PDB file of all heavy atoms in Angstrom:
ATOM      1  N   TYR A   1      -5.491 -19.714   8.802  1.00  0.00           N
ATOM      2  CA  TYR A   1      -5.627 -18.289   9.072  1.00  0.00           C
ATOM      3  C   TYR A   1      -6.706 -17.731   8.159  1.00  0.00           C
ATOM      4  O   TYR A   1      -6.973 -18.277   7.097  1.00  0.00           O
ATOM      5  CB  TYR A   1      -4.299 -17.546   8.862  1.00  0.00           C
ATOM      6  CG  TYR A   1      -3.746 -17.635   7.459  1.00  0.00           C
ATOM      7  CD1 TYR A   1      -4.070 -16.679   6.507  1.00  0.00           C
ATOM      8  CD2 TYR A   1      -2.922 -18.681   7.083  1.00  0.00           C
ATOM      9  CE1 TYR A   1      -3.579 -16.762   5.222  1.00  0.00           C
ATOM     10  CE2 TYR A   1      -2.421 -18.773   5.807  1.00  0.00           C
ATOM     11  CZ  TYR A   1      -2.738 -17.811   4.882  1.00  0.00           C
ATOM     12  OH  TYR A   1      -2.264 -17.908   3.604  1.00  0.00           O
ATOM     13  N   TYR A   2      -7.332 -16.674   8.595  1.00  0.00           N
ATOM     14  CA  TYR A   2      -8.399 -16.053   7.827  1.00  0.00           C
ATOM     15  C   TYR A   2      -7.824 -14.994   6.902  1.00  0.00           C
ATOM     16  O   TYR A   2      -6.898 -14.269   7.262  1.00  0.00           O
ATOM     17  CB  TYR A   2      -9.433 -15.414   8.755  1.00  0.00           C
ATOM     18  CG  TYR A   2     -10.199 -16.443   9.559  1.00  0.00           C
ATOM     19  CD1 TYR A   2      -9.907 -16.676  10.890  1.00  0.00           C
ATOM     20  CD2 TYR A   2     -11.209 -17.183   8.966  1.00  0.00           C
ATOM     21  CE1 TYR A   2     -10.595 -17.629  11.623  1.00  0.00           C
ATOM     22  CE2 TYR A   2     -11.910 -18.135   9.681  1.00  0.00           C
ATOM     23  CZ  TYR A   2     -11.598 -18.359  11.010  1.00  0.00           C
ATOM     24  OH  TYR A   2     -12.280 -19.293  11.715  1.00  0.00           O
ATOM     25  N   ALA A   3      -8.368 -14.913   5.713  1.00  0.00           N
ATOM     26  CA  ALA A   3      -7.953 -13.892   4.762  1.00  0.00           C
ATOM     27  C   ALA A   3      -8.472 -12.533   5.213  1.00  0.00           C
ATOM     28  O   ALA A   3      -9.532 -12.425   5.829  1.00  0.00           O
ATOM     29  CB  ALA A   3      -8.478 -14.216   3.369  1.00  0.00           C
ATOM     30  N   THR A   4      -7.722 -11.509   4.903  1.00  0.00           N
ATOM     31  CA  THR A   4      -8.150 -10.141   5.229  1.00  0.00           C
ATOM     32  C   THR A   4      -8.689  -9.487   3.965  1.00  0.00           C
ATOM     33  O   THR A   4      -8.281  -9.814   2.850  1.00  0.00           O
ATOM     34  CB  THR A   4      -6.982  -9.315   5.782  1.00  0.00           C
ATOM     35  OG1 THR A   4      -5.929  -9.299   4.819  1.00  0.00           O
ATOM     36  CG2 THR A   4      -6.473  -9.911   7.079  1.00  0.00           C
ATOM     37  N   TYR A   5      -9.618  -8.554   4.154  1.00  0.00           N
ATOM     38  CA  TYR A   5     -10.200  -7.844   3.024  1.00  0.00           C
ATOM     39  C   TYR A   5      -9.125  -6.962   2.390  1.00  0.00           C
ATOM     40  O   TYR A   5      -8.333  -6.337   3.099  1.00  0.00           O
ATOM     41  CB  TYR A   5     -11.382  -6.995   3.507  1.00  0.00           C
ATOM     42  CG  TYR A   5     -12.275  -6.546   2.390  1.00  0.00           C
ATOM     43  CD1 TYR A   5     -13.163  -7.418   1.798  1.00  0.00           C
ATOM     44  CD2 TYR A   5     -12.213  -5.244   1.920  1.00  0.00           C
ATOM     45  CE1 TYR A   5     -13.986  -7.012   0.771  1.00  0.00           C
ATOM     46  CE2 TYR A   5     -13.022  -4.831   0.892  1.00  0.00           C
ATOM     47  CZ  TYR A   5     -13.909  -5.713   0.323  1.00  0.00           C
ATOM     48  OH  TYR A   5     -14.713  -5.310  -0.710  1.00  0.00           O
ATOM     49  N   PRO A   6      -9.050  -6.906   1.043  1.00  0.00           N
ATOM     50  CA  PRO A   6      -8.010  -6.101   0.402  1.00  0.00           C
ATOM     51  C   PRO A   6      -8.164  -4.612   0.701  1.00  0.00           C
ATOM     52  O   PRO A   6      -9.270  -4.094   0.810  1.00  0.00           O
ATOM     53  CB  PRO A   6      -8.182  -6.376  -1.087  1.00  0.00           C
ATOM     54  CG  PRO A   6      -9.466  -7.078  -1.242  1.00  0.00           C
ATOM     55  CD  PRO A   6      -9.890  -7.607   0.079  1.00  0.00           C
ATOM     56  N   THR A   7      -7.032  -3.934   0.796  1.00  0.00           N
ATOM     57  CA  THR A   7      -7.032  -2.492   1.045  1.00  0.00           C
ATOM     58  C   THR A   7      -7.466  -1.761  -0.227  1.00  0.00           C
ATOM     59  O   THR A   7      -7.582  -2.363  -1.299  1.00  0.00           O
ATOM     60  CB  THR A   7      -5.626  -2.013   1.451  1.00  0.00           C
ATOM     61  OG1 THR A   7      -4.731  -2.266   0.361  1.00  0.00           O
ATOM     62  CG2 THR A   7      -5.147  -2.739   2.696  1.00  0.00           C
ATOM     63  N   GLN A   8      -7.674  -0.465  -0.109  1.00  0.00           N
ATOM     64  CA  GLN A   8      -8.086   0.345  -1.278  1.00  0.00           C
ATOM     65  C   GLN A   8      -7.023   0.290  -2.365  1.00  0.00           C
ATOM     66  O   GLN A   8      -7.347   0.223  -3.544  1.00  0.00           O
ATOM     67  CB  GLN A   8      -8.321   1.800  -0.857  1.00  0.00           C
ATOM     68  CG  GLN A   8      -9.561   1.995  -0.024  1.00  0.00           C
ATOM     69  CD  GLN A   8     -10.823   1.928  -0.856  1.00  0.00           C
ATOM     70  OE1 GLN A   8     -10.931   1.144  -1.797  1.00  0.00           O
ATOM     71  NE2 GLN A   8     -11.791   2.733  -0.501  1.00  0.00           N
ATOM     72  N   GLN A   9      -5.752   0.310  -1.983  1.00  0.00           N
ATOM     73  CA  GLN A   9      -4.666   0.268  -2.967  1.00  0.00           C
ATOM     74  C   GLN A   9      -4.670  -1.080  -3.699  1.00  0.00           C
ATOM     75  O   GLN A   9      -4.513  -1.134  -4.919  1.00  0.00           O
ATOM     76  CB  GLN A   9      -3.321   0.487  -2.282  1.00  0.00           C
ATOM     77  CG  GLN A   9      -2.146   0.500  -3.231  1.00  0.00           C
ATOM     78  CD  GLN A   9      -0.830   0.665  -2.504  1.00  0.00           C
ATOM     79  OE1 GLN A   9      -0.779   0.619  -1.286  1.00  0.00           O
ATOM     80  NE2 GLN A   9       0.225   0.862  -3.263  1.00  0.00           N
ATOM     81  N   GLN A  10      -4.883  -2.164  -2.980  1.00  0.00           N
ATOM     82  CA  GLN A  10      -4.939  -3.476  -3.610  1.00  0.00           C
ATOM     83  C   GLN A  10      -6.153  -3.585  -4.534  1.00  0.00           C
ATOM     84  O   GLN A  10      -6.058  -4.161  -5.630  1.00  0.00           O
ATOM     85  CB  GLN A  10      -5.001  -4.573  -2.550  1.00  0.00           C
ATOM     86  CG  GLN A  10      -3.719  -4.748  -1.778  1.00  0.00           C
ATOM     87  CD  GLN A  10      -3.874  -5.724  -0.625  1.00  0.00           C
ATOM     88  OE1 GLN A  10      -4.960  -5.852  -0.063  1.00  0.00           O
ATOM     89  NE2 GLN A  10      -2.786  -6.392  -0.275  1.00  0.00           N
ATOM     90  N   GLN A  11      -7.279  -3.014  -4.130  1.00  0.00           N
ATOM     91  CA  GLN A  11      -8.471  -3.052  -4.966  1.00  0.00           C
ATOM     92  C   GLN A  11      -8.239  -2.290  -6.270  1.00  0.00           C
ATOM     93  O   GLN A  11      -8.644  -2.739  -7.344  1.00  0.00           O
ATOM     94  CB  GLN A  11      -9.657  -2.457  -4.217  1.00  0.00           C
ATOM     95  CG  GLN A  11     -10.152  -3.315  -3.083  1.00  0.00           C
ATOM     96  CD  GLN A  11     -11.294  -2.664  -2.316  1.00  0.00           C
ATOM     97  OE1 GLN A  11     -11.829  -1.638  -2.725  1.00  0.00           O
ATOM     98  NE2 GLN A  11     -11.667  -3.268  -1.201  1.00  0.00           N
ATOM     99  N   ARG A  12      -7.569  -1.131  -6.180  1.00  0.00           N
ATOM    100  CA  ARG A  12      -7.267  -0.371  -7.397  1.00  0.00           C
ATOM    101  C   ARG A  12      -6.320  -1.157  -8.302  1.00  0.00           C
ATOM    102  O   ARG A  12      -6.481  -1.166  -9.521  1.00  0.00           O
ATOM    103  CB  ARG A  12      -6.639   0.980  -7.041  1.00  0.00           C
ATOM    104  CG  ARG A  12      -7.677   2.053  -6.828  1.00  0.00           C
ATOM    105  CD  ARG A  12      -7.043   3.424  -6.649  1.00  0.00           C
ATOM    106  NE  ARG A  12      -7.327   3.821  -5.276  1.00  0.00           N
ATOM    107  CZ  ARG A  12      -6.431   3.997  -4.325  1.00  0.00           C
ATOM    108  NH1 ARG A  12      -5.161   3.866  -4.572  1.00  0.00           N
ATOM    109  NH2 ARG A  12      -6.790   4.342  -3.113  1.00  0.00           N
ATOM    110  N   ARG A  13      -5.335  -1.831  -7.711  1.00  0.00           N
ATOM    111  CA  ARG A  13      -4.389  -2.629  -8.483  1.00  0.00           C
ATOM    112  C   ARG A  13      -5.121  -3.776  -9.191  1.00  0.00           C
ATOM    113  O   ARG A  13      -4.848  -4.061 -10.356  1.00  0.00           O
ATOM    114  CB  ARG A  13      -3.298  -3.180  -7.573  1.00  0.00           C
ATOM    115  CG  ARG A  13      -2.117  -3.723  -8.344  1.00  0.00           C
ATOM    116  CD  ARG A  13      -0.982  -4.186  -7.454  1.00  0.00           C
ATOM    117  NE  ARG A  13      -0.848  -3.404  -6.241  1.00  0.00           N
ATOM    118  CZ  ARG A  13      -0.587  -3.932  -5.045  1.00  0.00           C
ATOM    119  NH1 ARG A  13      -0.425  -5.223  -4.900  1.00  0.00           N
ATOM    120  NH2 ARG A  13      -0.461  -3.155  -3.982  1.00  0.00           N
ATOM    121  N   TYR A  14      -6.071  -4.418  -8.504  1.00  0.00           N
ATOM    122  CA  TYR A  14      -6.861  -5.483  -9.124  1.00  0.00           C
ATOM    123  C   TYR A  14      -7.687  -4.938 -10.285  1.00  0.00           C
ATOM    124  O   TYR A  14      -7.827  -5.593 -11.319  1.00  0.00           O
ATOM    125  CB  TYR A  14      -7.788  -6.145  -8.110  1.00  0.00           C
ATOM    126  CG  TYR A  14      -7.079  -6.906  -7.014  1.00  0.00           C
ATOM    127  CD1 TYR A  14      -7.649  -7.034  -5.757  1.00  0.00           C
ATOM    128  CD2 TYR A  14      -5.844  -7.501  -7.219  1.00  0.00           C
ATOM    129  CE1 TYR A  14      -7.021  -7.729  -4.740  1.00  0.00           C
ATOM    130  CE2 TYR A  14      -5.195  -8.201  -6.211  1.00  0.00           C
ATOM    131  CZ  TYR A  14      -5.791  -8.315  -4.979  1.00  0.00           C
ATOM    132  OH  TYR A  14      -5.173  -9.000  -3.984  1.00  0.00           O
ATOM    133  N   LEU A  15      -8.249  -3.749 -10.121  1.00  0.00           N
ATOM    134  CA  LEU A  15      -9.033  -3.127 -11.182  1.00  0.00           C
ATOM    135  C   LEU A  15      -8.164  -2.851 -12.401  1.00  0.00           C
ATOM    136  O   LEU A  15      -8.547  -3.156 -13.535  1.00  0.00           O
ATOM    137  CB  LEU A  15      -9.676  -1.832 -10.674  1.00  0.00           C
ATOM    138  CG  LEU A  15     -10.501  -1.055 -11.686  1.00  0.00           C
ATOM    139  CD1 LEU A  15     -11.704  -1.875 -12.129  1.00  0.00           C
ATOM    140  CD2 LEU A  15     -10.937   0.271 -11.106  1.00  0.00           C
ATOM    141  N   VAL A  16      -6.974  -2.297 -12.193  1.00  0.00           N
ATOM    142  CA  VAL A  16      -6.061  -2.012 -13.304  1.00  0.00           C
ATOM    143  C   VAL A  16      -5.645  -3.303 -13.990  1.00  0.00           C
ATOM    144  O   VAL A  16      -5.616  -3.382 -15.228  1.00  0.00           O
ATOM    145  CB  VAL A  16      -4.827  -1.219 -12.806  1.00  0.00           C
ATOM    146  CG1 VAL A  16      -3.760  -1.134 -13.880  1.00  0.00           C
ATOM    147  CG2 VAL A  16      -5.239   0.170 -12.351  1.00  0.00           C
ATOM    148  N   GLN A  17      -5.342  -4.346 -13.230  1.00  0.00           N
ATOM    149  CA  GLN A  17      -4.972  -5.624 -13.826  1.00  0.00           C
ATOM    150  C   GLN A  17      -6.123  -6.196 -14.647  1.00  0.00           C
ATOM    151  O   GLN A  17      -5.904  -6.775 -15.719  1.00  0.00           O
ATOM    152  CB  GLN A  17      -4.566  -6.622 -12.741  1.00  0.00           C
ATOM    153  CG  GLN A  17      -3.240  -6.312 -12.092  1.00  0.00           C
ATOM    154  CD  GLN A  17      -2.913  -7.257 -10.945  1.00  0.00           C
ATOM    155  OE1 GLN A  17      -3.764  -8.046 -10.517  1.00  0.00           O
ATOM    156  NE2 GLN A  17      -1.702  -7.168 -10.446  1.00  0.00           N
ATOM    157  N   GLY A  18      -7.344  -6.047 -14.171  1.00  0.00           N
ATOM    158  CA  GLY A  18      -8.506  -6.521 -14.919  1.00  0.00           C
ATOM    159  C   GLY A  18      -8.691  -5.778 -16.220  1.00  0.00           C
ATOM    160  O   GLY A  18      -8.987  -6.374 -17.255  1.00  0.00           O
ATOM    161  N   ILE A  19      -8.508  -4.467 -16.183  1.00  0.00           N
ATOM    162  CA  ILE A  19      -8.643  -3.659 -17.401  1.00  0.00           C
ATOM    163  C   ILE A  19      -7.572  -4.039 -18.410  1.00  0.00           C
ATOM    164  O   ILE A  19      -7.847  -4.190 -19.605  1.00  0.00           O
ATOM    165  CB  ILE A  19      -8.597  -2.155 -17.057  1.00  0.00           C
ATOM    166  CG1 ILE A  19      -9.856  -1.765 -16.275  1.00  0.00           C
ATOM    167  CG2 ILE A  19      -8.445  -1.309 -18.310  1.00  0.00           C
ATOM    168  CD1 ILE A  19      -9.804  -0.372 -15.682  1.00  0.00           C
ATOM    169  N   VAL A  20      -6.335  -4.213 -17.950  1.00  0.00           N
ATOM    170  CA  VAL A  20      -5.246  -4.623 -18.848  1.00  0.00           C
ATOM    171  C   VAL A  20      -5.543  -5.990 -19.444  1.00  0.00           C
ATOM    172  O   VAL A  20      -5.332  -6.215 -20.646  1.00  0.00           O
ATOM    173  CB  VAL A  20      -3.889  -4.620 -18.095  1.00  0.00           C
ATOM    174  CG1 VAL A  20      -2.803  -5.295 -18.907  1.00  0.00           C
ATOM    175  CG2 VAL A  20      -3.489  -3.200 -17.739  1.00  0.00           C
ATOM    176  N   ALA A  21      -6.065  -6.904 -18.646  1.00  0.00           N
ATOM    177  CA  ALA A  21      -6.397  -8.242 -19.143  1.00  0.00           C
ATOM    178  C   ALA A  21      -7.488  -8.181 -20.204  1.00  0.00           C
ATOM    179  O   ALA A  21      -7.414  -8.883 -21.224  1.00  0.00           O
ATOM    180  CB  ALA A  21      -6.825  -9.135 -17.988  1.00  0.00           C
ATOM    181  N   VAL A  22      -8.496  -7.340 -19.992  1.00  0.00           N
ATOM    182  CA  VAL A  22      -9.581  -7.209 -20.977  1.00  0.00           C
ATOM    183  C   VAL A  22      -9.030  -6.680 -22.292  1.00  0.00           C
ATOM    184  O   VAL A  22      -9.349  -7.206 -23.373  1.00  0.00           O
ATOM    185  CB  VAL A  22     -10.703  -6.297 -20.428  1.00  0.00           C
ATOM    186  CG1 VAL A  22     -11.656  -5.880 -21.535  1.00  0.00           C
ATOM    187  CG2 VAL A  22     -11.450  -7.000 -19.316  1.00  0.00           C
ATOM    188  N   PHE A  23      -8.177  -5.662 -22.238  1.00  0.00           N
ATOM    189  CA  PHE A  23      -7.608  -5.118 -23.471  1.00  0.00           C
ATOM    190  C   PHE A  23      -6.688  -6.130 -24.148  1.00  0.00           C
ATOM    191  O   PHE A  23      -6.636  -6.202 -25.382  1.00  0.00           O
ATOM    192  CB  PHE A  23      -6.855  -3.813 -23.207  1.00  0.00           C
ATOM    193  CG  PHE A  23      -7.771  -2.627 -23.070  1.00  0.00           C
ATOM    194  CD1 PHE A  23      -7.767  -1.859 -21.917  1.00  0.00           C
ATOM    195  CD2 PHE A  23      -8.646  -2.276 -24.084  1.00  0.00           C
ATOM    196  CE1 PHE A  23      -8.614  -0.771 -21.785  1.00  0.00           C
ATOM    197  CE2 PHE A  23      -9.499  -1.190 -23.967  1.00  0.00           C
ATOM    198  CZ  PHE A  23      -9.485  -0.438 -22.810  1.00  0.00           C
ATOM    199  N   LEU A  24      -5.985  -6.925 -23.384  1.00  0.00           N
ATOM    200  CA  LEU A  24      -5.132  -7.959 -23.960  1.00  0.00           C
ATOM    201  C   LEU A  24      -5.973  -8.996 -24.704  1.00  0.00           C
ATOM    202  O   LEU A  24      -5.650  -9.377 -25.835  1.00  0.00           O
ATOM    203  CB  LEU A  24      -4.306  -8.632 -22.863  1.00  0.00           C
ATOM    204  CG  LEU A  24      -3.378  -9.753 -23.322  1.00  0.00           C
ATOM    205  CD1 LEU A  24      -2.278  -9.189 -24.205  1.00  0.00           C
ATOM    206  CD2 LEU A  24      -2.793 -10.468 -22.129  1.00  0.00           C
ATOM    207  N   ILE A  25      -7.061  -9.428 -24.101  1.00  0.00           N
ATOM    208  CA  ILE A  25      -7.937 -10.409 -24.751  1.00  0.00           C
ATOM    209  C   ILE A  25      -8.577  -9.817 -26.004  1.00  0.00           C
ATOM    210  O   ILE A  25      -8.656 -10.468 -27.048  1.00  0.00           O
ATOM    211  CB  ILE A  25      -9.023 -10.909 -23.771  1.00  0.00           C
ATOM    212  CG1 ILE A  25      -8.377 -11.627 -22.593  1.00  0.00           C
ATOM    213  CG2 ILE A  25     -10.037 -11.796 -24.470  1.00  0.00           C
ATOM    214  CD1 ILE A  25      -7.587 -12.852 -22.973  1.00  0.00           C
ATOM    215  N   ILE A  26      -9.013  -8.567 -25.930  1.00  0.00           N
ATOM    216  CA  ILE A  26      -9.597  -7.911 -27.101  1.00  0.00           C
ATOM    217  C   ILE A  26      -8.566  -7.819 -28.213  1.00  0.00           C
ATOM    218  O   ILE A  26      -8.871  -8.069 -29.389  1.00  0.00           O
ATOM    219  CB  ILE A  26     -10.155  -6.518 -26.726  1.00  0.00           C
ATOM    220  CG1 ILE A  26     -11.402  -6.670 -25.859  1.00  0.00           C
ATOM    221  CG2 ILE A  26     -10.460  -5.700 -27.975  1.00  0.00           C
ATOM    222  CD1 ILE A  26     -11.914  -5.360 -25.281  1.00  0.00           C
ATOM    223  N   GLY A  27      -7.325  -7.496 -27.871  1.00  0.00           N
ATOM    224  CA  GLY A  27      -6.262  -7.425 -28.868  1.00  0.00           C
ATOM    225  C   GLY A  27      -5.974  -8.768 -29.504  1.00  0.00           C
ATOM    226  O   GLY A  27      -5.811  -8.868 -30.725  1.00  0.00           O
ATOM    227  N   VAL A  28      -5.928  -9.816 -28.713  1.00  0.00           N
ATOM    228  CA  VAL A  28      -5.663 -11.154 -29.255  1.00  0.00           C
ATOM    229  C   VAL A  28      -6.798 -11.588 -30.176  1.00  0.00           C
ATOM    230  O   VAL A  28      -6.554 -12.129 -31.257  1.00  0.00           O
ATOM    231  CB  VAL A  28      -5.461 -12.164 -28.096  1.00  0.00           C
ATOM    232  CG1 VAL A  28      -5.478 -13.587 -28.609  1.00  0.00           C
ATOM    233  CG2 VAL A  28      -4.174 -11.871 -27.363  1.00  0.00           C
ATOM    234  N   VAL A  29      -8.025 -11.348 -29.780  1.00  0.00           N
ATOM    235  CA  VAL A  29      -9.171 -11.716 -30.610  1.00  0.00           C
ATOM    236  C   VAL A  29      -9.163 -10.902 -31.908  1.00  0.00           C
ATOM    237  O   VAL A  29      -9.429 -11.431 -32.990  1.00  0.00           O
ATOM    238  CB  VAL A  29     -10.496 -11.538 -29.841  1.00  0.00           C
ATOM    239  CG1 VAL A  29     -11.705 -11.685 -30.764  1.00  0.00           C
ATOM    240  CG2 VAL A  29     -10.580 -12.529 -28.696  1.00  0.00           C
TER     241      VAL A  29
END
């Protein structure tokens, strides 16, 4: 099956997860 493009809500969720991950890495370092 073909993947579907993420919705706007999913894109925002990915952005928030990325920001949280960046801050987590900065904190660990």
Side-chain angles (χ1 to χ4, degrees):
Y1 61 91
Y2 293 103
T4 58
Y5 196 76
T7 62
Q8 289 285 37
Q9 182 182 8
Q10 290 173 330
Q11 290 177 9
R12 272 187 246 115
R13 194 176 327 139
Y14 294 151
L15 179 64
V16 170
Q17 289 176 351
I19 292 170
V20 169
V22 166
F23 281 122
L24 179 66
I25 297 298
I26 290 172
V28 168
V29 170

